[in-house]
Amino acid sequence: MSFVPFDDRDGWIWQDGEFVPWRDAKTHVLTHALHYGTSVFEGERMYAGEIFKLTEHSERLHRSANLLDFEIPFSVAEIDQACKETCAKAGLDDCYIRPVAFRGPEQVSVSAFKTRTHVAIAVWEWPSYFDPETKARGIKLEWAKWRRPDPLTAPSTSKAAGLYMICTMAKMAAERNGFSDAMMLDWRGYVAEATGANVFFVRDGELHTPPVDAILDGITRRTVIQLAEAKGIKVNVRLFKPEELATFSECFVTGTAAEVTPVSQIGEYAFKPAALSLGLMEDYGRLVRGQLSTPAAA
Ligand SMILES: Cc1ncc(COP(=O)(O)O)c(C=O)c1O
């Protein structure tokens, strides 16, 4: 596919309550968010005409903004509706949806009482986050040099643009070194998450995944926990150090973009994609397309 910059495409973007031509959906260079990182966003996928877990995403957008001490001037129901309308206007049934909310250019100073919160929603086609061949074999990750911050240092559980500064650096370093992604530890040295996905490990038929105290509370992670528990698989949500990776047989990452992607390597540790990961990958694929009923919440 040829490279088309994101500001030079055909279509419509929903901006502050109305549709504007894609190329006109602009904000000024003195936008508060650009200078001070006061922006939050979501990443959603529509499968066969339905946005998967739409309301959970809109609720998280609100929660992320509240963690950054600002309010979104549209209700969860209004954001849900705007996401659906943006997909419909694009004529897409399978696509990626990107809502973003940020403090605008009304005031440029650390204090931001006079800023307004602006909201935009764009959608585009986005097939697989990792290339399908690599995904089937299991992706390889290196250790990130950056750590997820202490929640007292930054609002680590918000999907805040500012937290992706370390994700972008870690992911680009990994790609330069021939890996697909990077695995981050948290500030205490516990295994945390990849740069855009949560992580699960398998040992003796049980799953192990870190708690969401310094990482994003992934909507795919929640879904996979429900899918696993519905199959009678025990899910251990607990903290663990990298040394424990030597005792796990399988590993996979989860995220709206990554879906369920098997992992074959993290730094010095190797894993073999096998029945448990591949089974959950398949279940998730069927669930998002409405071919499997939603498991009861645990
Ligand atoms: C840092 C990070 N962790 C985890 C996730 C997975 O979250 P979700 O499953 O809600 O997409 C994402 C994806 O948005 C992410 O960016």
Side-chain angles (χ1 to χ4, degrees), residues 24 76 143 149 172 190:
D24 299 341
V76 167
W143 291 110
M172 288 178 68
Y190 291 112

Side-chain angles (χ1 to χ4, degrees), residues 22-261:
W22 188 286
R23 292 178 183 79
D24 299 341
K26 292 184 176 161
T27 186
H28 198 270
V29 290
L30 294 178
T31 294
H32 195 274
L34 190 58
H35 296 251
Y36 302 106
T38 46
S39 165
V40 297
F41 66 101
E42 270 305 318
E44 308 165 10
R45 270 192 198 264
M46 173 178 265
Y47 297 92
E50 285 289 330
I51 302 175
F52 186 66
K53 306 271 181 189
L54 170 59
T55 302
E56 285 185 44
H57 282 284
S58 301
E59 286 170 351
R60 190 171 66 184
L61 186 71
H62 270 252
R63 236 181 8 259
S64 292
N66 295 158
L67 281 161
L68 265 64
D69 198 24
F70 65 87
E71 293 288 332
I72 296 194
F74 297 93
S75 67
V76 167
E78 286 168 333
I79 299 285
D80 279 0
Q81 186 58 23
C83 288
K84 288 184 197 164
E85 284 174 14
T86 313
C87 294
K89 189 124 177 128
L92 294 172
D93 273 351
D94 282 87
C95 57
Y96 180 79
I97 301 113
R98 168 56 60 87
V100 61
F102 56 95
R103 289 191 189 268
E106 299 79 12
Q107 184 179 5
V108 178
S109 67
V110 174
S111 178
F113 288 109
K114 293 196 186 72
T115 59
R116 284 180 46 223
T117 300
H118 299 268
V119 186
I121 301 168
V123 309
W124 60 86
E125 285 182 278
W126 198 21
S128 187
Y129 188 52
F130 297 109
D131 103 77
E133 220 174 281
T134 315
K135 185 170 168 174
R137 270 184 275 120
I139 56 166
K140 294 182 193 310
L141 278 64
E142 72 168 8
W143 291 110
K145 79 171 189 186
W146 302 99
R147 292 186 170 199
R148 295 291 299 184
D150 177 344
L152 294 176
T153 301
S156 343
T157 56
S158 166
K159 198 165 167 62
L163 287 167
Y164 285 84
M165 172 182 64
I166 55 173
C167 297
T168 294
M169 289 192 286
K171 173 112 175 154
M172 288 178 68
E175 288 182 350
R176 273 188 207 108
N177 294 332
F179 294 86
S180 296
D181 202 352
M183 179 57 56
M184 290 186 286
L185 303 180
D186 72 12
W187 87 100
R188 298 161 294 197
Y190 291 112
V191 174
E193 63 180 340
T195 64
N198 295 113
V199 66
F200 286 82
F201 296 91
V202 178
R203 184 170 62 212
D204 301 331
E206 295 186 1
L207 287 171
H208 299 260
T209 193
V212 290
D213 60 351
I215 61 175
L216 189 70
D217 183 359
I219 291 165
T220 319
R221 175 187 177 279
R222 282 190 224 154
T223 307
V224 165
I225 290 175
Q226 287 174 5
L227 283 170
E229 289 180 341
K231 292 171 103 161
I233 298 167
K234 183 159 192 274
V235 183
N236 302 281
V237 177
R238 63 184 185 85
L239 295 167
F240 44 90
K241 291 275 169 81
E243 305 83 82
E244 208 179 317
L245 269 54
T247 70
F248 296 130
S249 55
E250 297 175 53
C251 172
F252 58 88
V253 291
T254 64
T256 298
E259 301 172 307
V260 175
T261 295

Side-chain angles (χ1 to χ4, degrees), residues 1-10 23:
M1 213 202 301
S2 64
F3 178 75
V4 185
F6 271 87
D7 60 352
D8 190 18
R9 297 182 175 202
D10 295 330
R23 292 178 183 79

